[in-house]
């Protein structure tokens, strides 16, 4: 593979880029609706929309992750049922959150080989957001920690968070590419700074992460269908950078 040195640092997202995650949250949401459905007509009260609104409102208080989701489910259940929900069902919702926190870390097929291929020619970092304790557990369980020059767990993926990482490496944004499944969190902030993006959509995405007005800057973003295409996508972006 012909390699230029325009892109020196490549960042990888964690959840749904390196390992499966969102499916566990979706399963918890589904069970939450079944619990609340014993008290109300789900079609009439728009449970999904109300839970999402509560989660979005609470992000600034609780942050991302299973713990914030659980607190938002509890708040929503009390509100939606008019405080009629039983203590037993409150306990069931708490158990849903615990199950998400304890879910196994299953890697996407081929992702280790993909990171290793990129790491042959670039420094690589893991940049993931969410609850610090939970994310640390997932990183440790993934078996991938040894591949990264740095592991950064942030409360929000925005321009400030990415610039902090780049300052550590003393690099301009133009020398950084980010690989991830979320246009909102992984791609848009980096591209808006002048960096590059490899967008690898996951089969299911939290609605909050699809809430973006980002327009795919085709010249600075390559979309891939799976991990086996990541290294080629980085090379394609480098070719564009020197063209």
């Amino acid at each position: 593979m012909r390699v230029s040195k325009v892109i020196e640092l490549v960042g990888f997202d964690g959840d749904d880029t390196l390992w499966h995650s969102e499916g566990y949250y979706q399963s918890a949401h589904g069970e939450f609706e079944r619990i609340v459905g014993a008290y109300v007509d789900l079609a009439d009260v728009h449970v999904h929309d109300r839970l999402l609104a509560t989660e979005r409102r609470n992000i600034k208080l609780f942050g991302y992750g299973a713990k914030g989701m659980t607190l938002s489910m509890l708040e929503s259940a009390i509100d939606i049922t008019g405080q009629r929900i039983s203590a037993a069902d409150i306990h069931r919702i708490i158990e849903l959150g615990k199950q998400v926190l304890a879910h196994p870390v299953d890697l996407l097929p081929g992702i280790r080989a993909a990171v290793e291929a990129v790491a042959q020619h670039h420094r690589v970092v893991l940049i993931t957001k969410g609850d610090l304790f939970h994310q640390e557990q997932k990183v440790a369980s993934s078996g991938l920690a040894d591949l990264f020059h740095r592991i950064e767990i942030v409360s929000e993926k925005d321009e400030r968070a990415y610039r902090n990482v780049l300052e550590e490496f003393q690099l301009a944004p133009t020398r950084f590419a980010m690989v991830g499944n979320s246009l909102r969190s992984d791609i848009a902030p980096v591209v808006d700074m002048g960096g590059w993006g490899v967008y690898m959509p996951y089969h299911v995405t939290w609605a909050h992460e699809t809430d973006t007005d980002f327009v795919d800057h085709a010249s600075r973003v390559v979309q891939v269908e799976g991990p086996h295409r990541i290294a080629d996508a980085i090379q394609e972006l480098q070719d564009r950078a020197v063209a």
Side-chain angles (χ1 to χ4, degrees):
M1 181 188 299
R2 180 171 58 87
V3 178
S4 63
K5 294 297 182 182
V6 175
I7 296 175
E8 297 184 30
L9 183 68
V10 177
F12 283 83
D13 169 50
D15 293 340
D16 299 321
T17 298
L18 299 181
W19 51 73
H20 298 285
S21 177
E22 181 59 23
Y24 297 104
Y25 288 84
Q26 294 287 337
S27 294
H29 284 174
E31 184 60 27
F32 168 80
E33 291 191 5
R34 282 188 284 274
I35 293 171
V36 174
Y39 298 86
V40 297
D41 186 329
L42 296 179
D44 288 343
V45 299
H46 306 288
V47 171
H48 176 78
D49 293 339
R50 290 173 71 173
L51 175 57
L52 177 61
T54 302
E55 289 180 316
R56 283 176 167 162
R57 185 172 65 248
N58 286 339
I59 284 173
K60 291 183 179 180
L61 291 173
F62 304 144
Y64 294 92
K67 295 174 186 176
M69 176 199 70
T70 304
L71 290 169
S72 291
M73 288 195 300
L74 291 171
E75 179 182 344
S76 297
I78 293 168
D79 176 56
I80 291 169
T81 65
Q83 303 182 11
R84 292 182 295 115
I85 190 166
S86 69
D89 283 335
I90 289 288
H91 187 261
R92 289 174 64 191
I93 293 172
I94 293 172
E95 286 301 312
L96 291 177
K98 289 182 177 180
Q99 290 169 16
V100 174
L101 286 168
H103 75 71
V105 178
D106 295 323
L107 300 182
L108 271 65
I111 195 63
R112 183 177 181 92
V115 177
E116 289 175 336
V118 175
Q120 289 180 8
H121 305 289
H122 309 273
R123 290 178 290 181
V124 292
V125 294
L126 170 57
I127 307 174
T128 185
K129 72 180 179 184
D131 176 77
L132 177 62
F133 185 64
H134 192 203
Q135 292 302 104
E136 285 179 337
Q137 286 183 320
K138 287 191 280 188
V139 171
S141 298
S142 73
L144 300 176
D146 62 298
L147 299 179
F148 297 100
H149 291 81
R150 182 177 179 82
I151 296 171
E152 192 78 13
I153 300 172
V154 299
S155 57
E156 183 64 89
K157 281 183 175 176
D158 52 18
E159 184 173 324
R160 178 180 179 182
Y162 287 113
R163 287 196 182 278
N164 286 340
V165 173
L166 292 174
E167 287 175 4
E168 290 286 335
F169 287 87
Q170 298 182 327
L171 289 176
T174 54
R175 295 190 175 275
F176 175 62
M178 184 67 188
V179 181
N181 70 295
S182 169
L183 287 173
R184 180 183 185 275
S185 297
D186 302 318
I187 307 302
V190 174
V191 171
D192 288 343
M193 290 165 53
W196 308 86
V198 177
Y199 175 47
M200 187 173 71
Y202 192 66
H203 67 274
V204 58
T205 303
W206 184 29
H208 178 72
E209 291 297 337
T210 64
D211 183 15
T212 177
D213 57 4
F214 176 75
V215 177
D216 186 357
H217 296 262
S219 63
R220 306 193 74 84
V221 179
V222 173
Q223 181 170 328
V224 299
E225 69 276 15
H228 65 285
R229 281 281 293 123
I230 292 174
D232 289 338
I234 296 295
Q235 182 59 53
E236 183 176 338
L237 290 173
Q238 293 207 104
D239 290 344
R240 294 179 187 179
V242 300

